[in-house]
């Protein structure tokens, strides 16, 4: 299956270190060679880089690794195709507008017998993946329930969690969803997270011979949470989420979580 990566931070922060590890799993240390994509938020705007080529051998991925784009919210995905051909329109993450904001979505897993249950009439998928169809269905349900007014964060994300439970009945549905301010994560079977704050220390990537001393790259006020399918570093303690557990992070801090 695919692998996910996301970041929530209280100050604009680059994700170069974590991405350097993840891109190795796209055809080098891992089998996820069917494309990759990453979305960085800057205020209400976002910039997305995608490539249907393996991230390990992608010039665009090397650019992202070496170009320290700073953001408070990032969503990233490397793909191992199981539904839909390998092409740009099937490459995550997907972004759609809702309530005047860009919602970005990435999914890890595979769904079965979902087309009738997750059918949509307003939000129509561009590609041919189960992942994008599930995203369209979530957006359509949100629009039906809340119409043209965005609800409170708690009402919004608790309802999204209910929708994720429904989708999860059709297979494996690990999800990352962001509107640039909040980062919602839902675990079907495999997600990990870590929050870094002062006192910062060193870290070593699992998939590349790259190390960093976060103390030299941060201030005492920085808070950065990273979410990944599998831990990216070998010398830090990552938290493993449980099936059907969900969390919302904002500015690096855990804001809401399942009971």
């Amino acid at each position: 299956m695919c692998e996910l990566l996301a970041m929530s931070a209280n100050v604009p922060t680059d994700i170069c270190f974590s991405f350097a590890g993840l891109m190795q799993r796209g055809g080098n240390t891992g089998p996820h060679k069917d494309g990759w994509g990453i979305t960085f938020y800057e205020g209400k705007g976002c910039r997305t880089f995608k490539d249907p080529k393996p991230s390990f051998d992608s010039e665009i991925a090397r650019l992202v690794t070496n170009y320290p784009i700073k953001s408070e919210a990032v969503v990233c995905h490397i793909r191992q195709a199981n539904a839909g051909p390998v092409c740009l329109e099937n490459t995550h993450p997907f972004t759609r507008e809702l309530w005047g904001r860009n919602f970005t979505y990435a999914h890890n897993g595979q769904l079965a017998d979902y087309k009738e249950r997750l059918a949509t009439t307003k939000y129509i998928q561009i590609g041919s993946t189960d992942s994008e169809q599930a995203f369209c269905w979530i957006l359509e349900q949100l629009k039906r329930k809340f119409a043209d007014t965005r609800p409170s964060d708690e009402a919004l994300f608790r309802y999204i969690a209910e929708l994720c439970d429904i989708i999860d009945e059709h297979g494996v549905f690990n999800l990352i969803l962001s509107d640039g301010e909040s980062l919602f994560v839902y675990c079907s079977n495999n997600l990990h997270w870590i929050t870094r704050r002062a006192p910062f220390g060193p870290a070593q990537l699992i998939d590349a011979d790259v190390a960093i001393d976060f103390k030299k790259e941060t201030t005492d006020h920085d808070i950065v949470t990273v979410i990944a399918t599998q831990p990216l570093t070998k010398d830090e303690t990552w938290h493993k989420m449980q099936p059907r557990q969900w969390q919302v992070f904002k500015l690096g801090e855990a804001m809401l979580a399942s009971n």
Side-chain angles (χ1 to χ4, degrees), residues 186-227:
Y186 178 91
C187 178
S188 177
N189 67 349
N190 206 6
L191 270 180
H192 296 74
W193 63 274
I194 185 171
T195 297
R196 300 182 179 117
R197 65 177 79 230
F200 292 95
Q204 168 76 50
L205 290 174
I206 294 172
D207 297 272
D209 188 18
V210 178
I212 191 172
D213 185 351
F214 286 114
K215 187 175 182 179
K216 296 180 179 179
E217 307 293 333
T218 58
T219 73
D220 288 343
H221 304 291
D222 292 0
I223 303 170
V224 180
T225 292
V226 176
I227 301 98

Side-chain angles (χ1 to χ4, degrees), residues 78-126:
I78 55 174
R79 185 180 183 219
Q80 185 178 13
N82 52 47
V86 176
C87 55
L88 190 59
E89 63 263 32
N90 285 336
T91 305
H92 305 223
F94 304 109
T95 300
R96 296 289 184 95
E97 180 275 334
L98 179 63
W99 301 314
R101 296 198 68 94
N102 291 302
F103 278 72
T104 297
Y105 158 105
H107 162 228
N108 163 26
Q110 187 172 5
L111 305 176
D113 302 323
Y114 65 91
K115 291 186 178 181
E116 183 176 347
R117 181 64 180 86
L118 304 182
T120 56
T121 57
K122 302 296 184 183
Y123 286 88
I124 306 301
Q125 67 179 142
I126 297 169

